């Protein structure tokens, strides 16, 4: 089963609390489907001082469930490495102080409608928090994915596009 490939993190998310935690990297972990979504949201809400979060967490069959965060979760977050769904949840989470998120890593753009939620949240974040200046994608599908991303982050100073996921060879970033 999946629990042998990746350690189950449910107990840590349920019970682990560190008030002074500023940086956290959790990777190659697995969480039970429904409980994992709730415990992840509670865990993140309890760690207000996190500035750097690298979260690679699989919830298996519950991948379709959305992570619902309480308002003002992660108000000091500056750097995030996660999948598109976690990044979307954090970007959509209201933050009264204006979250200083400037770096997003680990997102894969699929060329599907699921990208729209992420891109809309990213665009809205530019108006409410610090402008995102650095994006490092894991992958993308079509050139239009990259164009849509760049339109959402006008103050971008660093873009790593990762690998094109639908095959193909060389890619031109400029038209004409």
């Amino acid at each position: 089963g999946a629990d042998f490939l990746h350690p189950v993190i449910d107990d840590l998310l349920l019970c682990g609390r560190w008030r002074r935690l500023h940086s956290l990297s959790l990777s190659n972990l697995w969480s039970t489907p429904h409980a994992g979504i709730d415990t992840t949201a509670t865990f993140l809400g309890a760690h207000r001082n996190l500035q750097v979060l690298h979260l690679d967490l699989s919830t298996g069959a519950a991948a379709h469930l959305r992570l619902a965060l309480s308002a003002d979760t992660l108000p000091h977050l500056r750097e995030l490495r996660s999948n598109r769904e976690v990044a979307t949840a954090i970007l959509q989470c209201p933050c009264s102080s204006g979250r200083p998120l400037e770096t997003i890593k680990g997102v894969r753009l699929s060329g599907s409608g699921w990208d729209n939620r992420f891109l809309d949240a990213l665009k809205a974040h530019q108006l409410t928090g610090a402008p995102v200046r650095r994006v490092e994608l894991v992958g993308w599908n079509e050139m239009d994915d990259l164009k849509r991303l760049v339109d959402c982050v006008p103050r971008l100073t660093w873009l790593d596009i990762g690998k094109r996921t639908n095959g193909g060879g060389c890619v031109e970033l400029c038209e004409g």
Side-chain angles (χ1 to χ4, degrees):
D3 53 336
F4 294 111
L5 298 176
H6 302 290
V8 178
I9 190 94
D10 291 350
D11 289 340
L12 175 74
L13 295 174
L14 185 62
C15 302
R17 299 295 182 266
W18 300 277
R19 289 183 296 136
R20 296 182 184 171
L21 189 64
H22 290 278
S23 181
L24 177 65
S25 182
L26 297 173
S27 60
N28 296 319
L29 301 170
W30 183 79
S31 181
T32 55
H34 293 282
I37 297 296
D38 294 336
T39 56
T40 300
T42 301
F43 180 86
L44 295 177
H47 291 90
R48 296 185 47 81
N49 291 320
L50 275 175
Q51 296 176 19
V52 177
L53 175 62
H54 296 182
L55 183 61
D56 175 18
L57 179 65
S58 173
T59 54
H64 67 281
L65 297 176
R66 291 185 185 169
L67 180 63
L69 301 173
S70 299
D72 291 321
T73 295
L74 302 173
H76 304 291
L77 191 66
R78 292 182 296 106
E79 178 180 311
L80 173 65
R81 175 177 288 158
S82 71
N83 62 34
R84 181 186 56 210
E85 290 72 25
V86 171
T88 300
I90 291 171
L91 288 167
Q92 288 179 334
C93 176
C95 186
S96 58
S97 61
R99 188 174 291 111
L101 184 59
E102 293 183 342
T103 302
I104 298 175
K105 303 175 181 181
V107 171
R108 178 181 312 280
L109 297 177
S110 64
S112 71
W114 293 104
D115 290 345
N116 293 338
R117 286 183 56 242
F118 169 72
L119 294 172
D120 290 345
L122 183 60
K123 190 171 190 173
H125 173 78
Q126 305 308 300
L127 303 173
T128 61
V132 172
R133 299 205 184 271
R134 182 180 184 129
V135 174
E136 296 180 16
L137 297 175
V138 170
W140 53 282
N141 196 29
E142 298 293 332
M143 183 56 63
D144 286 342
D145 301 341
L146 297 177
K147 290 177 183 177
R148 290 173 48 219
L149 171 71
V150 170
D151 286 344
C152 293
V153 284
R155 296 193 206 164
L156 196 65
T157 59
W158 179 280
L159 175 61
D160 182 338
I161 61 172
K163 295 182 180 179
R164 188 171 185 182
T165 57
N166 71 348
C170 193
V171 176
E172 291 183 34
L173 290 178
C174 300
E175 293 181 340

